Amino acid sequence: MSVAQFTDFVKNITTENNNPASDSSGVGAELQKALTNLQGSPEEKIAKVAQELSKVAKSKGFDVSEADVSTYIESLKVQYELNPVIASLADTYCSTSCHFGSAVNAN
């Protein structure tokens, strides 16, 4: 299991078509279904997201564990907190086209 496999999975799903990861079919639909009704503390939500992303990644042939997803999310958080350029880019991206963010924050 590896974070690199999760990175490959993210690249794959965010470039699968012209409407990345938010389409009503394919991986987008699977992720939307899996990530609906997230409840609990932020930590519980992150654990649920890690569990579901790992499950979907595995179903698509990627060797990804929940720990890999959690490590990836934590690394993004650290980069965001420490690097203002990364924070600015992430804010711009997520406010315009981040479908993970919209799926997670929909509820």
Side-chain angles (χ1 to χ4, degrees):
M1 314 247 175
S2 74
V3 175
Q5 281 278 304
F6 182 68
T7 302
D8 290 343
F9 168 69
V10 170
K11 287 177 188 175
N12 178 268
I13 66 170
T14 58
T15 57
E16 69 178 359
N17 59 33
N18 290 332
N19 196 10
S22 69
D23 62 347
S24 61
S25 63
V27 177
E30 288 181 54
L31 289 173
Q32 288 175 4
K33 182 179 177 185
L35 298 176
T36 56
N37 299 320
L38 289 175
Q39 297 178 6
S41 69
E43 293 80 17
E44 292 169 331
K45 288 179 180 180
I46 289 171
K48 175 71 172 173
V49 167
Q51 176 186 25
E52 294 300 331
L53 287 173
S54 172
K55 187 167 74 174
V56 173
K58 285 178 184 175
S59 76
K60 300 300 175 192
F62 294 88
D63 189 19
V64 175
S65 70
E66 291 175 37
D68 296 331
V69 179
S70 294
T71 298
Y72 181 84
I73 291 170
E74 185 61 29
S75 73
L76 292 177
K77 179 182 171 191
V78 168
Q79 291 175 57
Y80 183 88
E81 292 173 345
L82 294 178
N83 189 330
V85 173
I86 297 294
S88 178
L89 290 169
D91 288 345
T92 300
Y93 177 73
C94 286
S95 68
T96 59
S97 60
C98 180
H99 303 298
F100 277 147
S102 61
V104 171
N105 290 318
N107 295 316

